């Protein structure tokens, strides 16, 4: 009975999510990767994990030193996806643009699809072009990974991740 409920749920989730999905442990087509999408908490199905296909490349991480060079040379748009209160409370990386994630990074998705004038008015910086070098950052790397995936799925070509985020930046800045 519980298995029947799980299988019925497994058939509904792909339609609800609007993505191609596979069960964890099954093969993923070449050129795609499986990005965790939803964990089924239906009684008896707790270990069932659904994934959505993503053709996004694996994250290209930049180090603190690389980020400093990119900022100094103005060869990258650095987008901090933390909430505004986090920037006020903890600080921010000079030269970065704040595009808050606002629950599940919906705002990043919307922001990267705005007209350039709207982006500049709303976020105070130039909107990155599809071929610009973009680096996403957050507090510790979790939200920036999601933003990275969002940008690559929207067609941005040169996307990076500062996985250490604000915590790493601050630690390294204090030790200079």
């Amino acid at each position: 009975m519980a298995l029947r409920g799980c299988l019925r749920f497994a058939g509904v989730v792909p339609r609800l999510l609007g993505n191609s999905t596979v069960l964890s442990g099954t093969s993923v087509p070449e050129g795609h990767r499986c990005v965790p999408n939803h964990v089924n908490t239906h009684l008896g199905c707790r270990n069932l994990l659904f994934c959505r296909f993503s053709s996004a490349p694996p994250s290209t991480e930049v180090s603190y030193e690389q980020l400093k060079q990119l900022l100094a040379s103005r060869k990258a748009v650095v987008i901090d996806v933390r909430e505004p209160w986090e920037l006020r409370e903890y600080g921010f990386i000079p030269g970065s643009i704040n595009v808050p994630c606002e629950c599940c990074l919906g705002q990043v998705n919307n922001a990267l699809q705005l007209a350039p004038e709207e982006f500049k008015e709303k976020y105070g910086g130039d909107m990155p072009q599809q071929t610009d070098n973009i680096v996403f950052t957050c507090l510790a790397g979790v939200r920036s990974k999601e933003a990275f995936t969002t940008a690559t799925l929207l067609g941005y070509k040169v996307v990076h991740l500062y996985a250490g985020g604000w915590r790493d930046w601050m630690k390294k800045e204090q030790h200079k």
Side-chain angles (χ1 to χ4, degrees):
M1 182 70 148
L3 181 58
R4 189 176 313 157
C6 288
L7 294 176
R8 185 170 40 246
F9 185 76
V12 171
V13 169
R15 289 190 300 269
L16 292 173
L17 297 174
N19 294 316
S20 300
T21 58
V22 293
L23 295 174
S24 180
T26 61
S27 63
V28 175
E30 193 172 327
H32 290 81
R33 61 191 178 99
C34 190
V35 179
N37 202 30
H38 180 70
V39 177
N40 181 357
T41 56
H42 182 272
L43 186 60
C45 301
R46 295 192 183 181
N47 295 323
L48 198 56
L49 174 66
F50 293 93
C51 297
R52 61 183 154 86
F53 290 135
S54 169
S55 56
S59 71
T60 305
E61 293 185 14
V62 297
S63 67
Y64 166 80
E65 292 78 16
Q66 291 169 319
L67 183 58
K68 291 282 279 192
Q69 289 174 347
L70 288 169
L71 285 165
S73 65
R74 297 181 182 216
K75 291 189 176 181
V77 177
V78 178
I79 299 178
D80 190 327
V81 297
R82 292 180 293 153
E83 298 301 324
W85 70 265
E86 292 177 276
L87 275 65
R88 286 189 303 272
E89 185 163 326
Y90 302 115
F92 59 93
I93 296 172
S96 64
I97 299 171
N98 180 228
V99 179
C101 64
E102 284 190 17
C103 184
C104 304
L105 297 160
Q107 188 162 336
V108 171
N109 184 28
N110 294 337
L112 293 176
Q113 296 182 65
L114 290 174
E117 316 76 56
E118 291 177 276
F119 185 94
K120 187 166 192 143
E121 183 179 318
K122 189 166 186 171
Y123 301 109
D126 291 330
M127 179 173 177
Q129 301 301 309
Q130 296 264 327
T131 55
D132 283 349
N133 193 1
I134 304 171
V135 179
F136 287 101
T137 186
C138 61
L139 184 64
V142 176
R143 291 171 284 182
S144 57
K145 285 180 187 175
E146 286 295 319
F148 170 90
T149 300
T150 297
T152 54
L153 292 174
L154 287 172
Y156 285 83
K157 309 285 186 244
V158 190
V159 184
H160 303 282
L161 173 67
Y162 179 45
W166 173 251
R167 288 182 178 162
D168 183 63
W169 176 271
M170 198 59 211
K171 183 172 76 174
K172 298 230 166 93
E173 284 289 295
Q174 289 174 345
H175 287 84
K176 278 179 41 175

